[in-house]
Structures are given as structure tokens and as C-alpha cells.
PDB file of all heavy atoms in Angstrom:
ATOM      1  N   VAL U   1    -146.749 395.587  28.693  1.00  0.00           N
ATOM      2  CA  VAL U   1    -147.336 394.250  28.526  1.00  0.00           C
ATOM      3  C   VAL U   1    -148.224 394.243  27.268  1.00  0.00           C
ATOM      4  O   VAL U   1    -149.070 395.148  27.132  1.00  0.00           O
ATOM      5  CB  VAL U   1    -148.216 393.845  29.769  1.00  0.00           C
ATOM      6  CG1 VAL U   1    -148.886 392.552  29.509  1.00  0.00           C
ATOM      7  CG2 VAL U   1    -147.390 393.797  31.040  1.00  0.00           C
ATOM      8  N   LEU U   2    -147.970 393.301  26.377  1.00  0.00           N
ATOM      9  CA  LEU U   2    -148.723 393.224  25.152  1.00  0.00           C
ATOM     10  C   LEU U   2    -149.655 392.033  25.130  1.00  0.00           C
ATOM     11  O   LEU U   2    -149.373 391.026  25.775  1.00  0.00           O
ATOM     12  CB  LEU U   2    -147.742 393.112  23.958  1.00  0.00           C
ATOM     13  CG  LEU U   2    -146.748 394.295  23.784  1.00  0.00           C
ATOM     14  CD1 LEU U   2    -145.865 394.012  22.572  1.00  0.00           C
ATOM     15  CD2 LEU U   2    -147.465 395.595  23.569  1.00  0.00           C
ATOM     16  N   ALA U   3    -150.704 392.094  24.365  1.00  0.00           N
ATOM     17  CA  ALA U   3    -151.609 390.981  24.145  1.00  0.00           C
ATOM     18  C   ALA U   3    -150.795 389.822  23.500  1.00  0.00           C
ATOM     19  O   ALA U   3    -149.863 390.107  22.807  1.00  0.00           O
ATOM     20  CB  ALA U   3    -152.770 391.371  23.287  1.00  0.00           C
ATOM     21  N   PRO U   4    -151.241 388.585  23.756  1.00  0.00           N
ATOM     22  CA  PRO U   4    -150.448 387.472  23.185  1.00  0.00           C
ATOM     23  C   PRO U   4    -150.208 387.542  21.690  1.00  0.00           C
ATOM     24  O   PRO U   4    -149.077 387.256  21.256  1.00  0.00           O
ATOM     25  CB  PRO U   4    -151.311 386.267  23.529  1.00  0.00           C
ATOM     26  CG  PRO U   4    -152.032 386.670  24.792  1.00  0.00           C
ATOM     27  CD  PRO U   4    -152.318 388.148  24.624  1.00  0.00           C
ATOM     28  N   ASP U   5    -151.191 387.903  20.924  1.00  0.00           N
ATOM     29  CA  ASP U   5    -150.989 387.927  19.461  1.00  0.00           C
ATOM     30  C   ASP U   5    -150.055 389.051  19.130  1.00  0.00           C
ATOM     31  O   ASP U   5    -149.167 388.873  18.236  1.00  0.00           O
ATOM     32  CB  ASP U   5    -152.358 388.089  18.734  1.00  0.00           C
ATOM     33  CG  ASP U   5    -153.137 389.243  19.212  1.00  0.00           C
ATOM     34  OD1 ASP U   5    -152.814 389.872  20.248  1.00  0.00           O
ATOM     35  OD2 ASP U   5    -154.112 389.656  18.504  1.00  0.00           O
ATOM     36  N   THR U   6    -150.196 390.198  19.716  1.00  0.00           N
ATOM     37  CA  THR U   6    -149.302 391.337  19.453  1.00  0.00           C
ATOM     38  C   THR U   6    -147.885 391.002  19.889  1.00  0.00           C
ATOM     39  O   THR U   6    -146.909 391.263  19.156  1.00  0.00           O
ATOM     40  CB  THR U   6    -149.777 392.603  20.099  1.00  0.00           C
ATOM     41  OG1 THR U   6    -151.112 392.883  19.714  1.00  0.00           O
ATOM     42  CG2 THR U   6    -148.880 393.794  19.770  1.00  0.00           C
ATOM     43  N   GLY U   7    -147.770 390.456  21.083  1.00  0.00           N
ATOM     44  CA  GLY U   7    -146.431 390.084  21.655  1.00  0.00           C
ATOM     45  C   GLY U   7    -145.757 389.060  20.714  1.00  0.00           C
ATOM     46  O   GLY U   7    -144.550 389.117  20.454  1.00  0.00           O
ATOM     47  N   GLU U   8    -146.536 388.039  20.274  1.00  0.00           N
ATOM     48  CA  GLU U   8    -145.909 387.044  19.392  1.00  0.00           C
ATOM     49  C   GLU U   8    -145.487 387.635  18.069  1.00  0.00           C
ATOM     50  O   GLU U   8    -144.393 387.278  17.564  1.00  0.00           O
ATOM     51  CB  GLU U   8    -146.958 385.899  19.164  1.00  0.00           C
ATOM     52  CG  GLU U   8    -146.434 384.746  18.339  1.00  0.00           C
ATOM     53  CD  GLU U   8    -145.335 384.024  19.033  1.00  0.00           C
ATOM     54  OE1 GLU U   8    -145.221 384.034  20.225  1.00  0.00           O
ATOM     55  OE2 GLU U   8    -144.514 383.346  18.299  1.00  0.00           O
ATOM     56  N   LEU U   9    -146.262 388.575  17.564  1.00  0.00           N
ATOM     57  CA  LEU U   9    -145.883 389.278  16.284  1.00  0.00           C
ATOM     58  C   LEU U   9    -144.602 390.008  16.527  1.00  0.00           C
ATOM     59  O   LEU U   9    -143.668 390.009  15.669  1.00  0.00           O
ATOM     60  CB  LEU U   9    -146.978 390.205  15.822  1.00  0.00           C
ATOM     61  CG  LEU U   9    -146.709 391.035  14.633  1.00  0.00           C
ATOM     62  CD1 LEU U   9    -146.417 390.173  13.427  1.00  0.00           C
ATOM     63  CD2 LEU U   9    -147.863 392.011  14.341  1.00  0.00           C
ATOM     64  N   LEU U  10    -144.485 390.677  17.669  1.00  0.00           N
ATOM     65  CA  LEU U  10    -143.195 391.467  17.940  1.00  0.00           C
ATOM     66  C   LEU U  10    -142.032 390.535  18.024  1.00  0.00           C
ATOM     67  O   LEU U  10    -140.989 390.797  17.446  1.00  0.00           O
ATOM     68  CB  LEU U  10    -143.411 392.232  19.266  1.00  0.00           C
ATOM     69  CG  LEU U  10    -142.149 392.928  19.754  1.00  0.00           C
ATOM     70  CD1 LEU U  10    -141.712 394.011  18.764  1.00  0.00           C
ATOM     71  CD2 LEU U  10    -142.398 393.582  21.139  1.00  0.00           C
ATOM     72  N   LEU U  11    -142.212 389.422  18.757  1.00  0.00           N
ATOM     73  CA  LEU U  11    -141.090 388.463  18.880  1.00  0.00           C
ATOM     74  C   LEU U  11    -140.641 387.855  17.524  1.00  0.00           C
ATOM     75  O   LEU U  11    -139.436 387.810  17.227  1.00  0.00           O
ATOM     76  CB  LEU U  11    -141.472 387.320  19.849  1.00  0.00           C
ATOM     77  CG  LEU U  11    -141.670 387.726  21.311  1.00  0.00           C
ATOM     78  CD1 LEU U  11    -142.183 386.494  22.120  1.00  0.00           C
ATOM     79  CD2 LEU U  11    -140.380 388.259  21.910  1.00  0.00           C
ATOM     80  N   GLN U  12    -141.652 387.500  16.731  1.00  0.00           N
ATOM     81  CA  GLN U  12    -141.297 386.937  15.397  1.00  0.00           C
ATOM     82  C   GLN U  12    -140.653 387.979  14.487  1.00  0.00           C
ATOM     83  O   GLN U  12    -139.696 387.645  13.778  1.00  0.00           O
ATOM     84  CB  GLN U  12    -142.599 386.398  14.762  1.00  0.00           C
ATOM     85  CG  GLN U  12    -143.260 385.273  15.474  1.00  0.00           C
ATOM     86  CD  GLN U  12    -142.416 383.988  15.421  1.00  0.00           C
ATOM     87  OE1 GLN U  12    -141.568 383.812  14.544  1.00  0.00           O
ATOM     88  NE2 GLN U  12    -142.607 383.110  16.400  1.00  0.00           N
ATOM     89  N   THR U  13    -141.143 389.200  14.552  1.00  0.00           N
ATOM     90  CA  THR U  13    -140.543 390.234  13.706  1.00  0.00           C
ATOM     91  C   THR U  13    -139.139 390.588  14.181  1.00  0.00           C
ATOM     92  O   THR U  13    -138.215 390.817  13.372  1.00  0.00           O
ATOM     93  CB  THR U  13    -141.448 391.512  13.697  1.00  0.00           C
ATOM     94  OG1 THR U  13    -142.788 391.135  13.428  1.00  0.00           O
ATOM     95  CG2 THR U  13    -140.958 392.487  12.667  1.00  0.00           C
ATOM     96  N   LEU U  14    -138.941 390.716  15.465  1.00  0.00           N
ATOM     97  CA  LEU U  14    -137.623 390.965  15.986  1.00  0.00           C
ATOM     98  C   LEU U  14    -136.658 389.862  15.584  1.00  0.00           C
ATOM     99  O   LEU U  14    -135.494 390.131  15.192  1.00  0.00           O
ATOM    100  CB  LEU U  14    -137.622 391.097  17.537  1.00  0.00           C
ATOM    101  CG  LEU U  14    -138.071 392.406  18.124  1.00  0.00           C
ATOM    102  CD1 LEU U  14    -138.054 392.299  19.652  1.00  0.00           C
ATOM    103  CD2 LEU U  14    -137.174 393.542  17.669  1.00  0.00           C
ATOM    104  N   GLY U  15    -137.166 388.613  15.644  1.00  0.00           N
ATOM    105  CA  GLY U  15    -136.347 387.500  15.257  1.00  0.00           C
ATOM    106  C   GLY U  15    -135.883 387.601  13.793  1.00  0.00           C
ATOM    107  O   GLY U  15    -134.723 387.192  13.479  1.00  0.00           O
ATOM    108  N   ALA U  16    -136.732 388.152  12.958  1.00  0.00           N
ATOM    109  CA  ALA U  16    -136.372 388.285  11.552  1.00  0.00           C
ATOM    110  C   ALA U  16    -135.257 389.272  11.345  1.00  0.00           C
ATOM    111  O   ALA U  16    -134.525 389.217  10.345  1.00  0.00           O
ATOM    112  CB  ALA U  16    -137.622 388.704  10.743  1.00  0.00           C
ATOM    113  N   PHE U  17    -135.111 390.234  12.232  1.00  0.00           N
ATOM    114  CA  PHE U  17    -134.097 391.280  12.127  1.00  0.00           C
ATOM    115  C   PHE U  17    -132.840 390.897  12.883  1.00  0.00           C
ATOM    116  O   PHE U  17    -131.832 391.664  12.760  1.00  0.00           O
ATOM    117  CB  PHE U  17    -134.626 392.594  12.626  1.00  0.00           C
ATOM    118  CG  PHE U  17    -135.496 393.335  11.637  1.00  0.00           C
ATOM    119  CD1 PHE U  17    -136.884 393.127  11.661  1.00  0.00           C
ATOM    120  CD2 PHE U  17    -134.951 394.208  10.703  1.00  0.00           C
ATOM    121  CE1 PHE U  17    -137.697 393.831  10.764  1.00  0.00           C
ATOM    122  CE2 PHE U  17    -135.763 394.880   9.790  1.00  0.00           C
ATOM    123  CZ  PHE U  17    -137.130 394.660   9.790  1.00  0.00           C
ATOM    124  N   LEU U  18    -132.837 389.811  13.638  1.00  0.00           N
ATOM    125  CA  LEU U  18    -131.612 389.463  14.377  1.00  0.00           C
ATOM    126  C   LEU U  18    -130.662 388.745  13.409  1.00  0.00           C
ATOM    127  O   LEU U  18    -131.023 387.776  12.724  1.00  0.00           O
ATOM    128  CB  LEU U  18    -132.019 388.457  15.509  1.00  0.00           C
ATOM    129  CG  LEU U  18    -132.638 389.113  16.761  1.00  0.00           C
ATOM    130  CD1 LEU U  18    -133.096 387.992  17.709  1.00  0.00           C
ATOM    131  CD2 LEU U  18    -131.620 390.001  17.462  1.00  0.00           C
ATOM    132  N   PRO U  19    -129.424 389.169  13.398  1.00  0.00           N
ATOM    133  CA  PRO U  19    -128.434 388.470  12.543  1.00  0.00           C
ATOM    134  C   PRO U  19    -128.060 387.142  13.156  1.00  0.00           C
ATOM    135  O   PRO U  19    -128.277 386.943  14.347  1.00  0.00           O
ATOM    136  CB  PRO U  19    -127.222 389.451  12.553  1.00  0.00           C
ATOM    137  CG  PRO U  19    -127.335 390.130  13.849  1.00  0.00           C
ATOM    138  CD  PRO U  19    -128.810 390.284  14.136  1.00  0.00           C
ATOM    139  N   PRO U  20    -127.536 386.211  12.364  1.00  0.00           N
ATOM    140  CA  PRO U  20    -127.063 384.920  12.915  1.00  0.00           C
ATOM    141  C   PRO U  20    -126.060 385.192  13.994  1.00  0.00           C
ATOM    142  O   PRO U  20    -125.263 386.087  13.954  1.00  0.00           O
ATOM    143  CB  PRO U  20    -126.449 384.237  11.654  1.00  0.00           C
ATOM    144  CG  PRO U  20    -127.072 384.865  10.483  1.00  0.00           C
ATOM    145  CD  PRO U  20    -127.345 386.323  10.866  1.00  0.00           C
ATOM    146  N   VAL U  21    -126.055 384.281  14.989  1.00  0.00           N
ATOM    147  CA  VAL U  21    -125.141 384.465  16.138  1.00  0.00           C
ATOM    148  C   VAL U  21    -123.689 384.128  15.662  1.00  0.00           C
ATOM    149  O   VAL U  21    -123.471 383.136  15.017  1.00  0.00           O
ATOM    150  CB  VAL U  21    -125.533 383.554  17.304  1.00  0.00           C
ATOM    151  CG1 VAL U  21    -124.511 383.633  18.419  1.00  0.00           C
ATOM    152  CG2 VAL U  21    -126.931 383.867  17.801  1.00  0.00           C
ATOM    153  N   ASN U  22    -122.767 385.039  15.985  1.00  0.00           N
ATOM    154  CA  ASN U  22    -121.372 384.854  15.698  1.00  0.00           C
ATOM    155  C   ASN U  22    -120.709 384.377  16.978  1.00  0.00           C
ATOM    156  O   ASN U  22    -120.748 385.106  17.958  1.00  0.00           O
ATOM    157  CB  ASN U  22    -120.764 386.150  15.176  1.00  0.00           C
ATOM    158  CG  ASN U  22    -119.301 385.980  14.786  1.00  0.00           C
ATOM    159  OD1 ASN U  22    -118.662 384.940  15.109  1.00  0.00           O
ATOM    160  ND2 ASN U  22    -118.764 386.993  14.140  1.00  0.00           N
ATOM    161  N   PRO U  23    -120.102 383.211  16.991  1.00  0.00           N
ATOM    162  CA  PRO U  23    -119.425 382.753  18.210  1.00  0.00           C
ATOM    163  C   PRO U  23    -118.428 383.679  18.807  1.00  0.00           C
ATOM    164  O   PRO U  23    -118.168 383.667  20.044  1.00  0.00           O
ATOM    165  CB  PRO U  23    -118.764 381.413  17.765  1.00  0.00           C
ATOM    166  CG  PRO U  23    -119.529 380.988  16.598  1.00  0.00           C
ATOM    167  CD  PRO U  23    -119.919 382.217  15.867  1.00  0.00           C
ATOM    168  N   ASP U  24    -117.825 384.525  17.937  1.00  0.00           N
ATOM    169  CA  ASP U  24    -116.797 385.435  18.377  1.00  0.00           C
ATOM    170  C   ASP U  24    -117.360 386.788  18.839  1.00  0.00           C
ATOM    171  O   ASP U  24    -116.650 387.680  19.282  1.00  0.00           O
ATOM    172  CB  ASP U  24    -115.763 385.678  17.306  1.00  0.00           C
ATOM    173  CG  ASP U  24    -115.021 384.403  16.922  1.00  0.00           C
ATOM    174  OD1 ASP U  24    -114.815 383.560  17.842  1.00  0.00           O
ATOM    175  OD2 ASP U  24    -114.688 384.210  15.732  1.00  0.00           O
ATOM    176  N   ASP U  25    -118.690 386.944  18.664  1.00  0.00           N
ATOM    177  CA  ASP U  25    -119.319 388.203  18.995  1.00  0.00           C
ATOM    178  C   ASP U  25    -119.686 388.224  20.475  1.00  0.00           C
ATOM    179  O   ASP U  25    -120.364 387.339  21.001  1.00  0.00           O
ATOM    180  CB  ASP U  25    -120.642 388.348  18.156  1.00  0.00           C
ATOM    181  CG  ASP U  25    -121.208 389.720  18.227  1.00  0.00           C
ATOM    182  OD1 ASP U  25    -120.674 390.528  19.059  1.00  0.00           O
ATOM    183  OD2 ASP U  25    -122.143 390.029  17.495  1.00  0.00           O
ATOM    184  N   LEU U  26    -119.193 389.271  21.188  1.00  0.00           N
ATOM    185  CA  LEU U  26    -119.419 389.362  22.658  1.00  0.00           C
ATOM    186  C   LEU U  26    -120.668 390.129  22.968  1.00  0.00           C
ATOM    187  O   LEU U  26    -120.957 390.376  24.156  1.00  0.00           O
ATOM    188  CB  LEU U  26    -118.232 389.993  23.275  1.00  0.00           C
ATOM    189  CG  LEU U  26    -116.881 389.255  23.159  1.00  0.00           C
ATOM    190  CD1 LEU U  26    -115.768 390.034  23.849  1.00  0.00           C
ATOM    191  CD2 LEU U  26    -117.010 387.864  23.709  1.00  0.00           C
ATOM    192  N   VAL U  27    -121.441 390.587  21.934  1.00  0.00           N
ATOM    193  CA  VAL U  27    -122.639 391.333  22.210  1.00  0.00           C
ATOM    194  C   VAL U  27    -123.694 390.420  22.837  1.00  0.00           C
ATOM    195  O   VAL U  27    -123.944 389.309  22.385  1.00  0.00           O
ATOM    196  CB  VAL U  27    -123.163 391.932  20.865  1.00  0.00           C
ATOM    197  CG1 VAL U  27    -124.515 392.681  21.105  1.00  0.00           C
ATOM    198  CG2 VAL U  27    -122.165 392.891  20.270  1.00  0.00           C
ATOM    199  N   SER U  28    -124.301 390.910  23.888  1.00  0.00           N
ATOM    200  CA  SER U  28    -125.320 390.088  24.629  1.00  0.00           C
ATOM    201  C   SER U  28    -126.593 389.963  23.850  1.00  0.00           C
ATOM    202  O   SER U  28    -126.855 390.748  22.887  1.00  0.00           O
ATOM    203  CB  SER U  28    -125.620 390.722  25.966  1.00  0.00           C
ATOM    204  OG  SER U  28    -126.249 391.986  25.811  1.00  0.00           O
ATOM    205  N   ALA U  29    -127.420 388.949  24.217  1.00  0.00           N
ATOM    206  CA  ALA U  29    -128.690 388.759  23.579  1.00  0.00           C
ATOM    207  C   ALA U  29    -129.601 389.990  23.700  1.00  0.00           C
ATOM    208  O   ALA U  29    -130.336 390.352  22.721  1.00  0.00           O
ATOM    209  CB  ALA U  29    -129.364 387.498  24.146  1.00  0.00           C
ATOM    210  N   THR U  30    -129.577 390.601  24.922  1.00  0.00           N
ATOM    211  CA  THR U  30    -130.468 391.769  25.119  1.00  0.00           C
ATOM    212  C   THR U  30    -130.042 392.955  24.206  1.00  0.00           C
ATOM    213  O   THR U  30    -130.913 393.667  23.660  1.00  0.00           O
ATOM    214  CB  THR U  30    -130.402 392.209  26.588  1.00  0.00           C
ATOM    215  OG1 THR U  30    -129.034 392.389  26.967  1.00  0.00           O
ATOM    216  CG2 THR U  30    -131.017 391.122  27.465  1.00  0.00           C
TER     217      THR U  30
END
């Protein structure tokens, strides 16, 4: 469990490393 500011930073940073979703890609979000 992370503090809100740390958790939000993690989510935003992870989002920056996520590639655009490919409709043909079967890889799950997790």
C-alpha cells in the first residue's frame, strides 16, 4: 500500500511506459 502521492506517481510513470493498445494484442492489462 502506497501513500496517495507516491501511488499516483507510480501509476503515472507506469502509464508512460505502457505502449499503445494493439487491438490484435492478446496480452492482458495486468
